[in-house]
């Protein structure tokens, strides 16, 4: 199944375990046409998705407190550790992608989930300070530019797909992010401010940019307007309320990264059964089955950090088989 003709499959980002070479070998061996840079949060703070992305920031630093990541004046041990692990993961991926040509995905946390997770010195979320949110988004854009340039040097044949993880985006838009005390929530951020910050960030990459969220109520229309070329989501959380937004997204050329297989250990159904819901959605929306191949990439529903190593391996191979079944029998 070549990337040009069939439904693709890839992973989300995190895997269990702490061995970078083993992770890179598994990912490149399973997703021969759409590998990704694995994240291994089990190694500790700095290898988690928030810590890794904070390590990418330019002129903005953070350290670990018992409550989570907090802004710092200078790069400390935690920032150095995050950067060192990222370097190790990149070295491993480079080793297993010698001569590779094709799509390659890298992940970073988007500005709004980062703003909801990062604490100011007061212990409150950076999200409550509009100026600090702008600085954070600008610093992330600069850091991503450097990161993508490094990747292009290491793996020159790769068509890089940038995935921004925004699981807190819906909570930010709806004013559901809890304060430090937990007794109140921060004010909802204006949709145009959210959309503008995302649009500016997407502009750092001239290839595909997808946004991943495994939370309910993914704002498909907002992401499409901001310029995302794809949206990655947990398929089991979709409701018919989202039908119109998904139909419009597909018709405008947005790719759907459909998370159809659970991210933690469950008995796996047959691969064709895993994508039955995608076929049903297509019929419900009145979309031509022939468009499935260009529009859908099959993934696990979320990262696999909480899975057993054996399940993580099995679920990724299962996604490849499910994608093949969808390509061969779109009806």
């Amino acid at each position: 199944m070549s990337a040009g003709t069939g439904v693709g499959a890839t992973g989300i980002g995190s895997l269990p375990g702490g061995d970078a070479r083993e992770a890179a070998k598994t990912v490149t061996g399973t997703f021969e046409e759409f590998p990704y840079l694995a994240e291994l949060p089990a190694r500790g703070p700095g290898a988690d998705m928030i810590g890794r992305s904070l390590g990418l920031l330019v002129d903005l630093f953070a350290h670990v407190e018992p409550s989570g990541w907090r802004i710092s004046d200078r790069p400390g041990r935690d920032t150095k550790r995050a950067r060192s692990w990222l370097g190790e993961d990149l070295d491993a991926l480079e080793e297993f992608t010698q001569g590779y040509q094709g799509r390659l995905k890298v992940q970073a946390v988007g500005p709004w989930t980062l703003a909801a997770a990062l604490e100011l010195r007061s212990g409150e979320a950076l999200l409550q300070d509009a100026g600090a949110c702008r600085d954070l988004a600008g610093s992330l854009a600069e850091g991503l530019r450097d990161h993508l340039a490094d990747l292009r040097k290491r793996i020159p044949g790769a068509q890089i797909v940038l995935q921004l993880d925004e699981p807190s985006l819906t909570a930010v838009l709806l004013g559901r992010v809890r304060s430090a005390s937990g007794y109140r929530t921060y004010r909802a951020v204006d949709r145009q401010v959210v959309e503008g910050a995302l649009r500016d960030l997407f502009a750092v990459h001239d290839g595909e940019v997808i946004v991943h969220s495994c939370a309910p109520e993914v704002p498909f229309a907002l992401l499409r307007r901001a310029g995302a070329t794809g949206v990655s989501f947990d398929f089991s959380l979709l409701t018919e309320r989202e039908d119109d937004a998904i139909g419009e997204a597909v018709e405008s050329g947005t790719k759907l990264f459909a998370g159809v297989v659970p991210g933690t250990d469950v008995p796996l159904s047959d691969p064709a059964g895993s994508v039955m819901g995608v076929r049903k959605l297509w019929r419900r929306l009145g979309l031509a089955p022939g468009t499935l191949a260009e529009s859908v990439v099959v993934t696990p529903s979320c990262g696999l950090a909480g899975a057993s190593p054996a399940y993580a391996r099995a679920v990724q191979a299962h996604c490849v088989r499910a994608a093949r079944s969808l390509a061969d029998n779109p009806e």
Side-chain angles (χ1 to χ4, degrees):
M1 187 180 82
S2 81
T5 54
V7 175
T10 190
I12 295 295
S14 67
L15 289 176
D19 184 332
R21 285 188 79 251
E22 182 57 38
K25 186 177 170 192
T26 300
V27 165
T28 53
T30 307
F31 299 113
E32 291 173 14
E33 287 157 8
F34 201 167
Y36 62 96
L37 177 64
E39 297 162 1
L40 303 172
R43 293 180 295 196
D48 59 304
M49 69 181 210
I50 297 291
R52 163 170 285 197
S53 297
L54 292 173
L56 292 173
L57 299 178
V58 173
D59 297 333
L60 251 182
F61 311 106
H63 65 278
V64 180
E65 292 276 337
S67 54
W69 287 89
R70 187 169 292 182
I71 215 135
S72 313
D73 295 324
R74 61 185 70 83
R77 195 178 56 219
D78 298 326
T79 302
K80 291 193 180 95
R81 196 186 297 131
R83 289 175 179 169
S84 146
W85 272 326
L86 175 60
E88 199 177 292
D89 294 338
L90 286 165
D91 289 346
L93 184 66
E94 186 180 356
E95 180 187 339
F96 288 99
T97 49
Q98 294 297 310
Y100 175 72
Q101 299 205 318
R103 291 160 96 194
L104 169 74
K105 185 166 71 67
V106 293
Q107 307 80 224
V109 177
W112 296 107
T113 296
L114 221 44
L118 182 57
E119 296 174 0
L120 297 164
R121 288 176 185 83
S122 63
E124 293 296 343
L126 184 135
L127 183 67
Q128 69 169 22
D129 180 332
C133 285
R134 277 194 298 275
D135 291 346
L136 178 67
S139 170
L140 181 61
E142 219 172 311
L144 279 173
R145 215 173 264 123
D146 294 345
H147 182 40
L148 294 168
D150 178 33
L151 262 158
R152 280 190 282 268
K153 268 209 292 282
R154 288 169 176 267
I155 310 166
Q159 297 152 24
I160 297 171
V161 177
L162 173 62
Q163 172 181 311
L164 291 165
D165 293 315
E166 280 283 16
S168 303
L169 185 59
T170 302
V172 166
L173 289 165
L174 299 177
R176 292 180 186 161
V177 178
R178 296 216 155 275
S179 66
S181 66
Y183 292 128
R184 61 185 184 87
T185 53
Y186 299 113
R187 254 211 322 268
V189 180
D190 182 274
R191 295 183 89 81
Q192 282 173 314
V193 172
V194 169
E195 193 182 313
L198 290 173
R199 186 179 293 111
D200 290 348
L201 189 62
F202 297 168
V204 306
H205 182 45
D206 56 8
E208 288 182 72
V209 179
I210 65 170
V211 175
H212 167 71
S213 168
C214 41
E217 300 172 74
V218 174
F220 287 94
L222 180 147
L223 294 172
R224 186 167 56 89
R225 283 196 309 272
T229 60
V231 183
S232 165
F233 56 96
D234 179 342
F235 194 84
S236 71
L237 298 177
L238 279 189
T239 65
E240 294 197 11
R241 280 201 306 274
E242 277 125 335
D243 277 7
D244 288 349
I246 287 182
E248 283 164 21
V250 170
E251 281 170 353
S252 70
T254 308
K255 282 198 165 48
L256 302 182
F257 285 67
V260 295
V261 196
T264 46
D265 296 40
V266 294
L268 291 170
S269 73
D270 69 305
S274 296
V275 285
M276 190 95 76
V278 178
R279 291 192 186 93
K280 278 192 184 135
L281 172 71
W282 239 244
R283 281 201 292 274
R284 206 164 72 223
L285 296 177
L287 295 165
T291 61
L292 262 172
E294 304 89 90
S295 302
V296 176
V297 176
V298 175
T299 72
S301 59
C302 217
L304 298 170
S308 67
Y311 180 78
R313 280 193 299 275
V315 86
Q316 298 195 94
H318 184 93
C319 286
V320 173
R321 287 196 294 273
R324 199 162 290 146
S325 138
L326 202 51
D328 293 345
N329 309 301
E331 310 274 353

